[in-house]
Amino acid sequence: MGRKTVCSKDGLNKGAWTPVEDKMLLDYLKIHGEGKWSNIVRETGVKRCGKSCRLRWMSYLRPDIKRGNFSDDEEDLIIRMHKLLGNRWSLIAGRLPGRTDNDIKNYWHTSIAKKARGKPKVDRKQSGAASNLKNQSTIESHCTTGVVPAATASQENSDQDHQLSVAMPQFTTSNLQYESSSKGLASGREDNSSDIMMYYDYMDDFSKILDSDFTDMPKSYETESPSKGLASGGEDSSSNSMMYYDYMEDFSKILDSDFTEFSGIHDIISTGPHSNNTDAVNGDHHDVSSNGCKSRETTEFPEKLLESDHWSGNKCGLADQGFDFMSLLSFLDSTDDEWTADASGTKVL
DNA sequence: AAAATGATCAACCGCCCTTAG
DNA sequence: TCTAAGGGCGGTTGATCATTT
């Protein structure tokens, strides 16, 4: 709403942090812990806004930050996660302990994208080049991540996306229909001749699974043939996660795949009675929708899906607590022919 | 040797959501 | 219920160094 940014106050330092500032921040955090970032400015004399302090801590000073090159495993995971989630760096970072969203974002733009274009990343340290960066702490960091120069980033993205058609994620921007930075459609893979659309809302739910530690799945949801079951809302819709253990197993298989054959997921998770139930999709992220769904936690799911026995009560709430692989697969397997534009121009199934 | 170009990375910006008062 | 501050996130920028011309 045009609110002034917290960091726009006069008298605050900007740019690279100095070792002295780092020490002041660390000293404060040692005593008071994280949070209340704005207090740091008042109580320590650090001439930085709270937001800047938080960023410095989160992406640099935190003791569990992992330095050094990304391993092949890490890179592989980043690629696969990006294929699923797009540029949701914080979610991807959540699956890579010690790596920050900024690191991964930089790494994606510099190394992975470059490799995809056939230009392997140059390791400046290994090639003997000392990276004498902006300040002492930077020198000490031995970070190896990076970001493509902004002036060329978008242009490169479109180029690389095209060139990544075989093995790399296909999240292009050409067919996105954004209403805001966090609401809208993400393109899926290029499958044969067509792009398909996936709603971010589905990705939100997917993300929650990725974000979980998979340890507290209720055994009570096991069935006779658990691996065939639908991730469903249960009787108690208040708190339990609605996924079957076996889905987690299946999910691991999916994560271990290269995602180049989404149809292969059908071999892992059998098509249930809902495999073709995706009739209409009304992703609703942040605004209050006609059915009362609001905020990023809620998702309005396809009508036919909601008519099934697996859903009950308020569809917003249940949609939030469960995740339906089959509806996702329907999206992934759909073709352009199955999509039509609704009144607002948004493509729907 | 110097200038131009490319690569890297920390930090900033602006938007959005959550929460406290 | 409203408002502002705090916090989180993705996109972008600018400083710096390496490499190429």
Side-chain angles (χ1 to χ4, degrees):
Chain A
M1 305 282 196
R3 187 188 310 153
K4 240 185 156 182
T5 156
V6 181
C7 297
S8 63
K9 292 169 189 164
D10 292 335
L12 296 179
N13 292 343
K14 292 177 82 174
W17 279 66
T18 66
V20 174
E21 287 177 315
D22 280 346
K23 186 174 184 310
M24 290 168 82
L25 177 57
L26 283 170
D27 287 346
Y28 175 88
L29 291 170
K30 223 175 275 178
I31 297 169
H32 298 94
E34 295 180 50
K36 302 290 178 189
W37 298 105
S38 57
N39 289 352
I40 296 173
V41 187
R42 287 192 290 271
E43 296 178 20
T44 69
V46 173
K47 289 188 168 48
R48 299 277 181 171
C49 69
K51 209 168 183 176
S52 184
C53 293
R54 177 190 159 271
L55 183 69
R56 182 65 179 168
W57 168 254
M58 297 297 283
S59 55
Y60 191 83
L61 295 175
R62 239 170 41 190
D64 58 331
I65 293 291
K66 202 169 170 183
R67 303 291 177 195
N69 296 338
F70 281 72
S71 67
D72 290 343
D73 285 345
E74 284 177 313
E75 181 178 311
D76 182 57
L77 186 56
I78 291 169
I79 291 170
R80 287 186 286 114
M81 296 281 284
H82 188 272
K83 191 160 211 165
L84 276 172
L85 303 169
N87 296 351
R88 303 183 73 175
W89 307 115
S90 61
L91 281 171
I92 296 173
R95 306 302 296 177
L96 288 161
R99 301 294 189 183
T100 68
D101 52 352
N102 216 25
D103 278 346
I104 293 169
K105 180 170 52 182
N106 286 345
Y107 187 69
W108 176 264
H109 286 305
T110 58
S111 180
I112 297 178
K114 206 147 291 171
K115 276 184 187 174
R117 294 197 306 273
K119 290 171 71 179
K121 180 191 178 190
V122 177
D123 189 328
R124 293 161 84 168
K125 279 175 287 301
Q126 281 185 0
S127 66
S131 185
N132 182 19
L133 296 177
K134 284 173 276 190
N135 56 41
Q136 182 60 33
S137 54
T138 302
I139 297 169
E140 290 164 355
S141 75
H142 294 283
C143 288
T144 59
T145 57
V147 69
V148 73
T152 60
S154 57
Q155 166 195 339
E156 284 191 0
N157 280 345
S158 59
D159 290 342
Q160 90 204 22
D161 284 337
H162 185 69
Q163 293 174 31
L164 297 178
S165 60
V166 177
M168 296 292 287
Q170 296 302 325
F171 286 85
T172 65
T173 55
S174 60
N175 53 0
L176 300 190
Q177 299 178 22
Y178 289 106
E179 289 181 35
S180 73
S181 64
S182 57
K183 178 184 180 179
L185 297 164
S187 72
R189 57 186 172 150
E190 276 179 10
D191 190 359
N192 298 325
S193 62
S194 63
D195 280 353
I196 62 170
M197 299 295 197
M198 272 186 297
Y199 273 86
Y200 268 169
D201 296 60
Y202 278 90
M203 294 290 88
D204 268 351
D205 292 311
F206 203 52
S207 304
K208 284 169 191 163
I209 297 170
L210 293 171
D211 226 13
S212 74
D213 59 8
F214 303 141
T215 57
D216 58 352
M217 298 304 159
K219 284 188 175 177
S220 58
Y221 287 98
E222 289 181 333
T223 67
E224 284 184 11
S225 116
S227 62
K228 310 291 185 189
L230 180 72
S232 69
E235 290 302 314
D236 175 12
S237 62
S238 59
S239 60
N240 285 336
S241 173
M242 304 305 173
M243 302 300 299
Y244 293 120
Y245 277 126
D246 295 77
Y247 274 105
M248 293 302 98
E249 221 173 90
D250 295 334
F251 195 71
S252 297
K253 291 177 189 170
I254 296 169
L255 282 177
D256 285 340
S257 76
D258 63 5
F259 298 111
T260 55
E261 291 293 339
F262 272 104
S263 59
I265 297 175
H266 282 294
D267 298 332
I268 301 172
I269 307 169
S270 73
T271 52
H274 310 287
S275 57
N276 291 311
N277 277 351
T278 310
D279 231 19
V281 180
N282 298 300
D284 191 79
H285 252 288
H286 305 303
D287 303 321
V288 177
S289 70
S290 57
N291 69 353
C293 293
K294 62 178 180 179
S295 89
R296 68 162 65 205
E297 281 78 30
T298 57
T299 306
E300 191 174 344
F301 269 44
E303 286 301 325
K304 284 191 179 177
L305 188 64
L306 293 163
E307 287 168 7
S308 75
D309 295 334
H310 296 281
W311 301 85
S312 61
N314 181 296
K315 58 187 176 181
C316 303
L318 288 177
D320 186 40
Q321 291 153 15
F323 175 77
D324 178 17
F325 273 112
M326 304 323 298
S327 60
L328 173 60
L329 293 178
S330 295
F331 282 130
L332 296 174
D333 286 340
S334 65
T335 66
D336 265 353
D337 295 338
E338 298 171 63
W339 292 86
T340 56
D342 66 11
S344 65
T346 300
K347 280 189 172 183
V348 296
L349 272 173

